[in-house]
Amino acid sequence: MTLRAWMLALALTGAATAVVAQDLKSPSADQYVPRLGDIMSAAQARHQKLWLAGKAQNWELTAFELRQLKASLVEAALLYSGIPISNVTTLEPSLQSTSDAIAAKDGRKFAKAVGDLTEGCNACHRSMGRSFVVIRVPSDAQPFANQQFAPQAKP
Ligand code: HEC
């Protein structure tokens, strides 16, 4: 799958529409371009929220966090041409299996898929001289105490 096709696939799910539009021209000096580390910090937060929401079986929130995470990764690839495209496209299968597990509300498949996805984060970090940035599936420690992850009771 080419990067363009991959981004199109993401755009079709509504994840990356804004970012794809941005790609039409290079950002000019007066446009705000987030630093790669900032995009990655957002990806880290979303990766953790994805996991916590999935663990709490709040599949609606889990699907939302996956879309947000994909948007961060697409943004990184589009804005930073030094990132090898193949490092991003190799994440596609694990993003898809995470999405499938969410649709099936299958906690076991979700855990496996997020594990594979997390390995994809680290594979890119290793290949880009950032092997010291090691992402893992979150432990029970919850730094995001300011957000409720369990599904809300239906009125
Ligand atoms: C295509 C390559 C690539 C992928 C995929 C990738 N990263 Fe990164 N990541 C980078 C690079 C390059 C840096 C170093 C950025 C810098 O030096 O400013 C980085 C840095 C980071 C940092 C450190 C940010 C900071 O300022 O402390 C975190 C956290 C991070 N990534 C999380 C993730 C997570 C979570 C995933 C997977 C969901 C992921 N990354 C996937 C390339 C990638």
Side-chain angles (χ1 to χ4, degrees):
M1 208 181 198
T2 65
L3 178 66
R4 184 162 296 279
W6 183 72
M7 287 185 316
L8 185 65
L10 291 179
L12 288 176
T13 66
T17 320
V19 179
V20 169
Q22 237 179 14
D23 183 43
L24 295 176
K25 53 186 171 57
S26 304
S28 61
D30 59 347
Q31 274 180 306
Y32 171 70
V33 177
R35 286 167 179 267
L36 182 56
D38 293 347
I39 298 173
M40 287 293 154
S41 293
Q44 178 179 26
R46 289 161 173 175
H47 173 267
Q48 172 130 12
K49 289 184 182 189
L50 172 78
W51 176 256
L52 294 175
K55 238 183 129 191
Q57 307 213 339
N58 185 348
W59 300 115
E60 203 180 358
L61 177 60
T62 311
F64 171 77
E65 295 298 348
L66 181 64
R67 284 199 299 277
Q68 299 290 78
L69 179 58
K70 278 186 197 169
S72 288
L73 295 172
V74 170
E75 193 174 32
L78 287 177
L79 293 176
Y80 290 89
S81 52
I83 290 184
I85 282 170
S86 58
N87 281 2
V88 182
T89 50
T90 51
L91 292 180
E92 220 282 323
S94 56
L95 286 169
Q96 187 57 52
S97 48
T98 306
S99 178
D100 292 346
I102 292 169
K105 303 184 180 184
D106 186 328
R108 208 177 48 82
K109 284 196 181 133
F110 174 78
K112 162 87 171 73
V114 176
D116 291 348
L117 176 61
T118 306
E119 181 40 43
C121 305
N122 292 328
C124 186
H125 293 160
R126 282 194 299 272
S127 79
M128 302 203 65
R130 302 295 192 286
S131 54
F132 47 83
V133 180
V134 181
I135 306 299
R136 59 175 191 184
V137 169
S139 65
D140 275 343
Q142 294 197 17
F144 296 112
N146 61 348
Q147 185 171 353
Q148 175 185 311
F149 289 97
Q152 294 196 57
K154 296 266 184 258

